[in-house]
Amino acid sequence: MFRAPVAPRVRKRLRPAEAGVSRCDEVKFEDVRLYLVERKMGRSRRSFLTQLARSKGFIVEDILSDAVTHVVSEDSRASSLWAWLKGCELGNLPSMHVLDISWFTDSMREGRPVAVETRYLIQDTKFPTTAVASAAVTVSQYACQRQTTTENNNKIFTDALEVLAEYYEFKEIEGPCLAFRRATSVLKSLPFVVQCLRDLRDLPCLGEHTKAIMEEILEYGRSFEVEQTLSDERYQTLKLFTSVFGVGPKTADKWYRQGLRSFSDVLTEPGIHLNRMQQTGFLHYGDISRAVSKAEARALGSIIDEAVRAITPDAIIALTGGFRRGKEFGHDVDFLVTTPELGRERSLLPDVIDELKKKGFLLYCDYHASTFDMARLPSFSFEAMDHFAKCFLILRLEEGKVEGGLNSSEKDSRGWRAVRVDLVSPPLDRYAYALLGWTGSRMFERDLRRFARLERRMLLDNHGLYDKTKKEFLAATTEKDIFAHLGLEYIEPWQRNA
Ligand code: CTP
Ligand code: MN
Ligand code: MN
């Protein structure tokens, strides 16, 4: 539910004497009002630190009230500190910075209030999602330097911005589309709910258009531009058509321009030729447009495992894509499948596909043989398909194989459903790069590549990492090796939902 916007803090202007600043101390930082917690610090040290701060132009309040912006404590045990703070009946506690003494000492050293970075915060452990919006917390412009779990605190904004991103994607106008996607990605990484425009002050990737939409949502709970877009006929039709497996924005737009508006329009129009993928898309539309559950992904994991091991017992199989990132639902299930013997992986997938067919699981298969040739690298480009052997499948999943049953509609009594599965088969020495590349999210991958190129003079894709300075490919056996090559802090798969 939308939360009412918080009214801007009304701060009573106090005269310096009232604010606890002696006449000779000149106030340099009007917007910062400190309160030093006496507990653990002790009375005499507190009074010494108070004088020190005042001599450097800081306002230090003697009493904890709603006028305070920065609470500084030497006792960093969050639970007891927060229990005490909550007992103080403050209206503004959610917007105060609660900080470790290290923020204070750093600020004294610098002679100014330093930025409130996460490491300084004493966070309320019991309510991590209602964490304080610390506008000065540094958020990287690169998704690969942010931790983004599946828990999105700002869904009301990201849902709206994603509609606009998609609108521009359908129009094939790349600039605004990417801008809205980047903004969405930043908002998904925030540990707090955005409650006012001030919360956005120091965040990267938020343009004027994005901020205007967010302001509207903060004020009215919805955005008129987004609502207009949602009722736009072209948007609605392209959204419908692209929901069919095998139909991209280009085909959808062509059909729209031919005056087609519904599936029955498309299926009864004489001049329309559907390729095999699209025919399958319409045939299994009900099933494929329905999300795949975690339990179904697990069941498919067993099916793939069994089929691959029937071909080669020493196979290496890994779940990748959205389910590896910890998502509860997905549009498909993605697996990496390979063997320790270099070169053998080239013929692995055709054998696995035969095995799935033999067992009655295969409803559809689009197989792409490997075109991978290390000698032809680097051939890097954004979003381009990699050269590994891969197949896009539709499998038949039986009710009995899924713990807790299928994610089908209640009226469905078939006892099975069709599910999309992707298999990719890289040679073992490319395994770490392929795993990193297929784990996603797409925005995370995009920014990994951008970071490598712009910050490190390196080229990254699903096959490898090339150092343009050293003019060599960098070897990696694990994802951690790749992050280390890039000089990036390791981000766990479940933190890559950018
Ligand atoms: N990918 C890729 N090349 C492809 C297809 C996908 O490199 N030809 C990568 C993408 O970077 C993506 C990941 O594989 O991040 C998984 O793709 P996809 O299944 O489309 O998305 P998911 O993140 O798994 O989301 P969903 O749950 O909707 O499937
Ligand atoms: Mn997927
Ligand atoms: Mn996929």
Side-chain angles (χ1 to χ4, degrees), residues 26-37:
E26 183 201 342
V27 173
K28 287 194 194 150
F29 314 106
E30 275 281 351
D31 293 335
V32 176
R33 283 165 189 266
L34 308 186
Y35 176 80
L36 305 180
V37 179

Side-chain angles (χ1 to χ4, degrees), residues 320-323 325 327 330-334 420 422 438 442:
T320 177
F323 284 107
R325 301 197 307 273
K327 277 175 62 173
H331 94 283
D332 69 355
V333 193
D334 308 278
R420 278 267 301 110
D422 288 343
W438 277 76
R442 271 169 210 278

